[in-house]
Amino acid sequence: MGSNQSWVTEFVLVGFELSADLEVLLLWVFSLFYIFSLLANGVILGLICLDPSLHTPMYFFLSHLSIIDMSYASSNVPKMLANLVNHNRTVSFVPCIMQTFLYLGFAATECLLLVVMSYDRFVAICHPLHYTVIMNWRVCMVLAVSSWSCGFILALVHAILLLRLPFCGPRKVNHLFCEILSVLKLACADTWINQVVILAASVFVLVGPLCLMLVSYMRIVWAILKIQSKEGGTKAFSTCSSHLCVVGLFFGIAMVVYMVPDSNQQEEQEKILSLFHSLFNPMLNPLIYSLRNAQVKGALYRALQKKRPM
C-alpha cells in the first residue's frame, strides 16, 4: 500500500432501501417481534428456574437455548431497528467487528447446543433405563460449557482473521448488520484464508452436527415405532418433533447463507434470511417448545395459579 492510503475507520450499513413510511412500519413490526422474543424466552427461562418439575437435563439445555436466543437477537437487532429511523447508518470499525464476533459466537453455540439436545433425546428414548446415569448433572455441565467454549473460540478465530485484513476501499456493507461475508467483500487484500476457515467452520458446526442429529433421530424414530404404549410413543414423538422444527429452521437457513455459492442476485435474499435467523427464529423457538410441550404448559399454568389471588 502507498503511504498516502487512507484506512476505513467506520462502515455504512446499507440495509433495506425502502421508503420512509415503510421503514416506520417495519420499525414497529420488528420492535414488537423483538420484544416478544425477549419476553417469550424470558418466560421459558423463568419457568425452568422456578418450577422443580423442569429441573431435568432436557430443560437445562432448553434454558441455555433461551439465553442464547435472547443474546443472539440482542447482538444485532437493536442496531437494525436504529438504522430504520436513523439515516446516518454508520458503525465504527471496532463495534462492527464486535458485532460480527458476538453474532458468530452465539450462532455457533446454538448449533452445538442443538446437537447436545438431540443426544439428550436419543439417550432418553433409546436408553431410558440408563438415562439418569448417562445424563447426570456433571455430564450436562460439561456438554453445556463445551458448546459455549467451542462456539466462541470459533468466533474468536474469525474475528482475529478479520482484524488482520486492511480495509481501505468502499465502506458500504450491503447488509442489515456487520455480517462477516458482507464485511469481507470490502477488504483490500486476498480473503482466501478467511473463506477457507468459514467453510471449515460451517462443516464443523453445520454439516457435522446435522449428520449426527439425523443419525440420532433415525434411531429415535425406530425406537418410537417399537414402543408398545400409544401414550408413551405420542409423548416421545411430540418432544422430538418440536426439536426437529427448531433444527430444521436454524440449520436450513444457516446452510443456505454460508454454504451456497455467493452471487449478487442473492444479496437481498440473504438479508431476508439473516433477518429471519436473527429475529424470527429466536421468537419461534419458545413458541414451538411451549405450544408442543405439555410440561412447559403445565408449569406456566401452575405459575399463573400461584399469582392468582385467593
Side-chain angles (χ1 to χ4, degrees):
M1 294 294 177
S3 59
N4 61 345
Q5 179 67 62
S6 61
W7 301 101
V8 172
T9 58
E10 62 181 16
F11 296 108
V12 178
L13 300 174
V14 175
F16 291 122
E17 297 180 350
L18 305 169
S19 64
D21 292 338
L22 188 54
E23 285 184 345
V24 172
L25 175 62
L26 290 179
L27 172 67
W28 284 102
V29 172
F30 293 161
S31 296
L32 290 175
F33 284 158
Y34 176 58
I35 293 170
F36 179 82
S37 173
L38 295 182
L39 290 175
N41 281 288
V43 168
I44 294 289
L45 183 61
L47 289 175
I48 293 172
C49 292
L50 297 175
D51 197 304
S53 66
L54 300 182
H55 293 175
T56 62
M58 173 183 170
Y59 295 103
F60 171 74
F61 295 128
L62 183 56
S63 68
H64 281 264
L65 184 64
S66 295
I67 293 171
I68 291 172
D69 281 339
M70 289 189 289
S71 305
Y72 185 61
S74 298
S75 67
N76 49 41
V77 172
K79 184 62 178 177
M80 292 186 205
L81 298 177
N83 288 341
L84 287 173
V85 293
N86 186 6
H87 292 288
N88 182 24
R89 299 178 176 180
T90 60
V91 56
S92 300
F93 182 78
V94 174
C96 183
I97 301 301
M98 182 59 67
Q99 188 181 61
T100 302
F101 167 73
L102 292 175
Y103 178 80
L104 292 174
F106 289 123
T109 302
E110 182 160 349
C111 289
L112 298 174
L113 188 65
L114 289 173
V115 179
V116 171
M117 293 175 71
S118 70
Y119 175 70
D120 172 70
R121 291 300 84 205
F122 166 75
V123 176
I125 294 172
C126 297
H127 304 282
L129 298 179
H130 302 95
Y131 178 70
T132 54
V133 176
I134 297 174
M135 297 301 295
N136 59 68
W137 285 111
R138 182 180 179 182
V139 171
C140 292
M141 287 297 298
V142 168
L143 290 173
V145 170
S146 298
S147 299
W148 283 91
S149 301
C150 290
F152 275 88
I153 288 172
L154 281 173
L156 183 61
V157 171
H158 288 304
I160 292 172
L161 291 176
L162 198 58
L163 286 170
R164 58 176 276 277
L165 294 174
F167 292 90
C168 54
R171 61 193 189 104
K172 286 188 176 182
V173 178
N174 190 17
H175 213 280
L176 303 170
F177 58 95
C178 290
E179 194 271 334
I180 187 168
L181 295 178
S182 299
V183 175
L184 282 176
K185 293 177 182 178
L186 307 181
C188 300
D190 194 353
T191 61
W192 72 270
I193 295 179
N194 302 72
Q195 300 287 353
V196 169
V197 173
I198 289 172
L199 181 61
S202 298
V203 172
F204 177 71
V205 300
L206 292 175
V207 179
L210 187 59
C211 292
L212 291 175
M213 283 187 283
L214 289 176
V215 172
S216 296
Y217 279 106
M218 287 173 63
R219 296 283 302 274
I220 288 171
V221 169
W222 181 250
I224 290 174
L225 293 175
K226 293 194 294 183
I227 294 177
Q228 300 295 325
S229 168
K230 182 179 179 180
E231 181 181 354
T234 302
K235 182 179 179 181
F237 182 78
S238 176
T239 302
C240 293
S241 60
S242 61
H243 186 216
L244 280 173
C245 290
V246 174
V247 168
L249 285 171
F250 192 86
F251 279 80
I253 295 173
M255 292 182 76
V256 169
V257 172
Y258 290 103
M259 301 198 72
V260 172
D262 189 28
S263 68
N264 293 330
Q265 290 77 18
Q266 289 180 337
E267 287 183 343
E268 292 302 314
Q269 291 90 325
E270 287 182 1
K271 290 180 189 179
I272 297 172
L273 289 174
S274 296
L275 178 64
F276 189 91
H277 219 236
S278 303
L279 187 59
F280 296 105
N281 206 51
M283 181 184 69
L284 290 175
N285 283 355
L287 287 178
I288 291 171
Y289 278 106
S290 60
L291 292 177
R292 299 184 60 86
N293 194 298
Q295 284 182 285
V296 174
K297 288 188 286 187
L300 179 59
Y301 176 77
R302 288 189 293 273
L304 293 175
Q305 288 293 99
K306 290 180 181 179
K307 294 293 183 182
R308 184 177 297 176
M310 299 299 291

